[in-house]
Amino acid sequence: MNVQRFTAATSREALAKARQAFGEGTLILSNRPTANGVEVVATAEDSLATLDAAVSRTAARSGGGSQQRQQPPSYREVASKVEEDAEQLAMSTLSFQDYVRERMLRRRAEAQQIPVLQPEITPMPMPAPAPVPLERPQPTLTQRIAIDIESQPKRAVPMRQAAPAPQAPAVNKIVMDELHAMKELIEDRFNTLTWLGQAKQNPIQSNMMLKMIRAGYSPTLSRAILERLSDDMDAPESVRWVMDVLERNLHTDAAIPALHEEGGVFALMGATGVGKTTTAAKLAGLCARTHGPGSVGLITLDTYRIGAHEQLRAYGKMLGVVAHLAHDKAALQDLLGLLSNKKMVLIDTTGIAPRDPRKRELLELLDLPEIKRLLVLNAGGHGDTMDEAVACFKTGETQQVILSKTDEAVKLGPSIDACIRHQLMLRGTTTGQRVPEDWEAAVASKLVRTSMRSTGASAYDPKATDLGFFFSQPANTTAHKGRMNA
């Protein structure tokens, strides 16, 4: 059995050395702090099964040639041994690993007929076993496991009774299942200990992680950023560095003309209630104020919601713009031809949930070369909800997005996080119901600063001790599709 010791400054580095030596099937037997850091004892998981099979075959051959049969133990001795093993199995995780390691070494020594360096205790002669009372309580699950472990075949030892060889496979399966369960528990504890060690070595990184999680940023993006954080930075410098990274990775239309200056045909898409109609009215108002009411065209496809057409028509009447209704793709093409001389044409679509079967019909209706899609996301929504909406209305080119209801959002972190991870182009934000006053251009620095401000105590804020769960699993996938500018 190949057992090796690995020493490193932290538990994470020692565990990495062990996995480098034994691969994914690494089994941690024990770990303990030393003067130089942490010492980890590990072996390969496959070696346990090989060792059990070899021990079983050796014990079966040696047990078959024995000429003397030992006297069966008494009930008192069996009960005493069961209590002893039950106490051993009730130990902590690392103690149980030492216990298993000791038993495996003892089996190997017995299989090779090498005496274990332990004091020999000559048992006193015991009287014949007394009849077992019928009302004796049944052993518990822990006691049954302890008896099964002791009943594995081995060479003759005083006061021990060898079990038949055919029971070895079942016993080995129980032991291996216990070891696998214990391995998972040890890995979870190692992950937590690793985070605690990192927090002690670099408290600034742990505090920044806590700040980003409280601001609403995902653990995936937070890990991707903080892994590049230099150890030489103090607390104020680290905050400025993190905010600078977020600003550089939040793509906005600051370098190109605004929507109402760019012009074109835009279809506003999104889930029900995110503010598509109001956003369309604000864009129409901005264009009408700059280029005149005759430069804007309004079309609605919302024939499901009661009063949807009347709402857009009321906004158009207020702006001096006529709102048209299209029932199908042919009517939409006719209206686009009629409004082809307009500076900007805005299409208000039906609110569709990502899992709604009508989504396919809407996407086919808007499958025209001159139509550009604008995804409207509620800035106060949950991060998973925004991820699903982005995946549902994904386009082949760079996806353009508008954040609505930023005035209602308690945290802007989830919406900014979604824009960064999915590499979205942010074209603007809405801050209220007034048309067209409550519209703001997308300024990355302003949005990031607002998102990092403390919002006070919250029932959903994690504690410092909870951050081990955010760092427990490494990032198996990239934080976003492109490269992060750190």
Side-chain angles (χ1 to χ4, degrees):
M1 183 176 181
N2 187 9
V3 179
Q4 298 184 18
R5 298 177 183 271
F6 303 91
T7 304
T10 62
S11 301
R12 185 175 186 178
E13 296 177 1
L15 181 59
K17 291 181 179 180
R19 287 183 173 174
Q20 185 178 4
F22 295 107
E24 293 296 331
T26 303
L27 180 62
I28 304 300
L29 299 178
S30 67
N31 78 312
R32 64 184 183 88
T34 62
N36 298 326
V38 178
E39 179 187 88
V40 172
V41 179
T43 184
E45 183 178 350
D46 298 336
S47 60
L48 292 180
T50 305
L51 180 59
D52 285 341
V55 171
S56 300
R57 291 193 299 268
T58 305
R61 290 196 299 268
S62 60
S66 177
Q67 299 296 329
Q68 297 180 355
R69 183 177 299 276
Q70 300 294 331
Q71 182 178 1
S74 64
Y75 169 75
R76 183 178 303 173
E77 293 170 347
V78 173
S80 175
K81 188 58 184 175
V82 168
E83 294 177 357
E84 177 186 350
D85 289 342
E87 293 178 357
Q88 291 288 345
L89 288 175
M91 293 188 295
S92 64
T93 302
L94 298 180
S95 299
F96 180 77
Q97 290 299 313
D98 295 335
Y99 169 73
V100 173
R101 181 183 62 178
E102 178 185 353
R103 289 198 173 278
M104 299 302 294
L105 292 175
R106 183 182 301 173
R107 292 179 192 170
R108 183 174 66 179
E110 292 174 352
Q112 298 176 356
Q113 296 185 357
I114 299 176
V116 182
L117 297 179
Q118 291 184 355
E120 289 289 336
I121 301 177
T122 304
M124 297 297 293
M126 300 296 295
V132 179
L134 296 178
E135 64 274 12
R136 184 182 66 181
Q138 295 294 327
T140 62
L141 176 61
T142 303
Q143 293 172 340
R144 289 199 302 269
I145 295 176
I147 295 176
D148 290 338
I149 294 177
E150 288 299 328
S151 63
Q152 296 190 55
K154 57 185 72 177
R155 68 181 181 87
V157 179
M159 302 305 297
R160 293 192 181 256
Q161 182 177 1
Q167 296 181 2
V171 175
N172 292 338
K173 185 178 184 304
I174 294 176
V175 174
M176 293 305 299
D177 291 342
E178 291 291 334
L179 289 178
H180 282 300
M182 200 60 60
K183 175 186 174 183
E184 296 177 357
L185 179 60
I186 290 176
E187 288 180 351
D188 291 340
R189 293 191 177 185
F190 260 119
N191 292 329
T192 304
L193 291 175
T194 300
W195 160 250
L196 294 177
Q198 291 178 352
K200 292 180 181 178
Q201 294 178 2
N202 194 346
I204 294 178
Q205 182 181 9
S206 62
N207 291 335
M208 283 304 306
M209 182 68 174
L210 180 60
K211 184 176 182 62
M212 294 188 68
I213 296 299
R214 283 178 173 172
Y217 290 94
S218 65
T220 301
L221 181 64
S222 302
R223 281 194 300 263
I225 294 177
L226 294 179
E227 285 175 356
R228 298 169 172 82
L229 180 65
S230 175
D231 297 336
D232 300 332
M233 294 184 182
D234 57 12
E237 291 176 344
S238 64
V239 174
R240 289 193 295 269
W241 182 85
V242 169
M243 293 177 64
D244 184 62
V245 172
L246 292 173
E247 291 176 15
R248 291 201 305 269
N249 288 275
L250 179 59
H251 302 307
T252 64
D253 60 352
I256 60 177
L259 280 172
H260 62 280
E261 293 288 350
E262 175 184 348
V265 181
F266 296 94
L268 280 73
M269 307 176 62
T272 305
V274 297
K276 297 185 299 299
T277 304
T278 306
T279 302
K282 292 176 182 178
L283 289 174
L286 291 173
C287 186
R289 188 167 59 183
T290 305
H291 303 284
S295 63
V296 183
L298 290 177
I299 301 175
T300 179
L301 303 179
D302 193 352
T303 57
Y304 295 98
R305 188 164 53 94
I306 298 177
H309 184 206
E310 286 73 11
Q311 181 182 4
L312 187 63
R313 179 179 295 176
Y315 280 128
K317 184 178 181 180
M318 181 179 63
L319 300 172
V321 180
V322 178
H324 304 273
L325 175 64
H327 294 276
D328 52 21
K329 192 170 185 177
L332 178 60
Q333 290 176 325
D334 293 340
L335 288 174
L336 290 178
L338 179 65
L339 303 174
S340 59
N341 61 337
K342 302 293 185 181
K343 173 70 174 179
M344 172 180 280
V345 178
L346 298 169
I347 304 174
D348 183 22
T349 64
T350 305
I352 297 293
R355 293 179 296 273
D356 196 314
R358 295 176 299 173
K359 176 190 68 174
R360 183 183 299 274
E361 300 177 5
L362 177 62
L363 295 179
E364 292 177 353
L365 181 62
L366 298 175
D367 189 14
L368 296 174
E370 64 270 26
I371 296 180
K372 303 175 185 178
R373 301 179 185 179
L374 284 175
L375 177 61
V376 182
L377 293 177
N378 183 359
H382 191 274
D384 290 336
T385 304
M386 284 185 279
D387 281 350
E388 190 175 23
V390 171
C392 171
F393 300 105
K394 184 177 180 180
T395 59
E397 55 188 11
T398 302
Q399 193 162 12
Q400 304 183 65
V401 64
I402 295 175
L403 294 181
S404 65
K405 304 182 180 182
T406 56
D407 57 315
E408 301 177 7
V410 179
K411 297 179 180 179
L412 289 179
S415 56
I416 297 177
D417 181 274
C419 291
I420 293 177
R421 285 186 295 103
H422 295 283
Q423 294 290 281
L424 307 178
M425 172 65 72
L426 184 58
R427 300 303 306 267
T429 62
T430 65
T431 59
Q433 296 294 322
R434 294 181 301 172
V435 176
E437 290 80 7
D438 292 336
W439 170 272
E440 291 184 0
V443 181
S445 58
K446 179 180 178 181
L447 293 172
V448 171
R449 286 197 305 269
T450 304
S451 69
M452 295 296 288
R453 291 173 184 168
S454 176
T455 57
S458 171
Y460 299 96
D461 286 344
K463 305 298 182 183
T465 54
D466 298 335
L467 293 184
F469 297 103
F470 296 109
F471 271 115
S472 60
Q473 296 295 334
N476 295 326
T477 58
T478 57
H480 46 71
K481 299 178 182 177
R483 173 177 293 181
M484 175 169 292
N485 300 319

